[in-house]
Amino acid sequence: MNKRILVVEDDVAIGNLIRMTLTTQHYEFDIAQDGSSALQKAISLKPHVIILDLGLPDMDGIDFINKIRGWTQTPIIVVSARGEEFDKINALDAGADDYVTKPFSVEELLARIRVALRRTSSEHQLEAESALFVNGHLEIHYLANTVFVNCVEVHLTPIEYKLLVVLSKHVGKVLTHNFLLKEIWQNALQSDVPSLRVFMATLRKKIEENPSQPKYIQTHVRVGYRMLRVHDDE
Ligand code: CA
């Protein structure tokens, strides 16, 4: 079955670039140039992924995400301009899954679309409710609170474990520092980001083969972290 993509972009040049890219990859798609027609198309097209420009003529990108998230978890990839770090982070906190920054390459966009499509595959939906999480050589047994790498049990501190679980429950999605801090410490402050970095470093030492070139957990500078689905073919 063809994967359907909804592109929400009012810039004609960027819209055309995305159109050409998706056509060569045989994706089915539709382009909306403003927020209200995009909402209509999201209902009629039932897209597998939404690519969303944050600067729309009639609606704030964040409002659009809030509206969409009222009824569907379809992955949203946000397109933001360079220097709009704050918007990007707000969009992720509002429920966007990922972002690309203009100017972006065609390969970059396609890679993000593939990650997003993997999140919606039915296999992973089932996995979300399962007691066992498997990603490459990493295994988490949620009920027993145990973690294995290459079949060997790894001993994590309670915070490292919590961090790993949150990332695994949202595999493929970029999680902001703010989101992670709240999940782990509830009343955390933005100023706690350095402690988060420390826990991330010790966690990586325990689960990554090469912590300086992490395979499972990706760093998004000034934004947050994401657990990637590890595939042998990539
Ligand atoms: Ca725009």
Side-chain angles (χ1 to χ4, degrees):
M1 191 186 67
N2 265 358
K3 296 295 183 183
R4 294 181 303 277
I5 301 177
L6 174 61
V7 182
V8 190
E9 174 63 82
D10 61 319
D11 183 302
V12 175
I14 295 176
N16 283 339
L17 173 70
I18 297 177
R19 185 197 303 271
M20 286 193 306
T21 306
L22 298 182
T23 305
T24 58
Q25 299 299 313
H26 309 292
Y27 285 120
E28 215 178 285
F29 64 91
D30 203 343
I31 299 187
Q33 294 185 321
D34 58 62
S36 42
S37 61
L39 285 170
Q40 292 299 321
K41 287 182 177 183
I43 294 165
S44 55
L45 186 69
K46 295 188 185 65
H48 297 92
V49 177
I50 298 173
I51 299 172
L52 172 69
D53 174 27
L54 282 182
L56 296 174
D58 62 332
M59 200 183 283
D60 186 68
I62 306 292
D63 291 339
F64 180 84
I65 296 169
N66 286 331
K67 288 199 169 82
I68 286 283
R69 281 290 174 259
W71 53 277
T72 175
Q73 289 304 312
T74 303
I76 299 174
I77 303 170
V78 155
V79 179
S80 73
R82 197 178 289 281
E84 288 176 353
E85 217 95 81
F86 189 67
D87 293 354
K88 187 161 78 189
I89 290 169
N90 281 341
L92 291 167
D93 279 335
D97 294 71
D98 201 353
Y99 60 89
V100 285
T101 307
K102 291 178 196 172
F104 54 84
S105 71
V106 161
E107 290 73 26
E108 199 183 341
L109 180 66
L110 289 173
R112 301 305 168 89
I113 291 172
R114 284 193 296 269
V115 169
L117 287 173
R118 253 179 231 143
R119 266 178 71 70
T120 47
S121 76
S122 52
E123 171 201 340
H124 296 146
Q125 297 286 337
L126 284 175
E127 193 184 57
E129 281 134 46
S130 133
L132 174 68
F133 174 84
V134 182
N135 186 11
H137 297 296
L138 174 71
E139 270 182 31
I140 309 173
H141 299 231
Y142 294 127
L143 294 180
N145 290 359
T146 49
V147 175
F148 295 83
V149 175
N150 290 318
C151 304
V152 177
E153 187 171 358
V154 190
H155 296 281
L156 302 182
T157 65
I159 289 181
E160 289 163 359
Y161 179 73
K162 230 170 162 180
L163 189 54
L164 183 66
V165 168
V166 176
L167 288 158
S168 70
K169 293 278 184 189
H170 298 88
V171 62
K173 183 178 188 315
V174 178
L175 304 178
T176 64
H177 292 138
N178 204 19
F179 179 87
L180 288 166
L181 288 170
K182 280 196 187 130
E183 287 287 311
I184 292 161
W185 288 286
Q186 279 79 43
N187 35 24
L189 304 168
Q190 189 61 28
S191 55
D192 295 324
V193 171
S195 348
L196 183 62
R197 281 202 194 100
V198 172
F199 287 110
M200 186 58 75
T202 57
L203 172 61
R204 276 177 169 155
K205 271 191 199 134
K206 294 178 184 178
I207 66 158
E208 298 278 2
E209 234 164 272
N210 180 357
S212 60
Q213 279 179 304
K215 173 167 88 160
Y216 294 108
I217 304 171
Q218 216 180 33
T219 297
H220 289 254
V221 178
R222 289 188 297 279
V223 175
Y225 299 95
R226 151 160 63 189
M227 179 178 284
L228 278 177
R229 179 64 61 183
V230 175
H231 281 246
D232 295 334
D233 56 323
E234 276 173 30

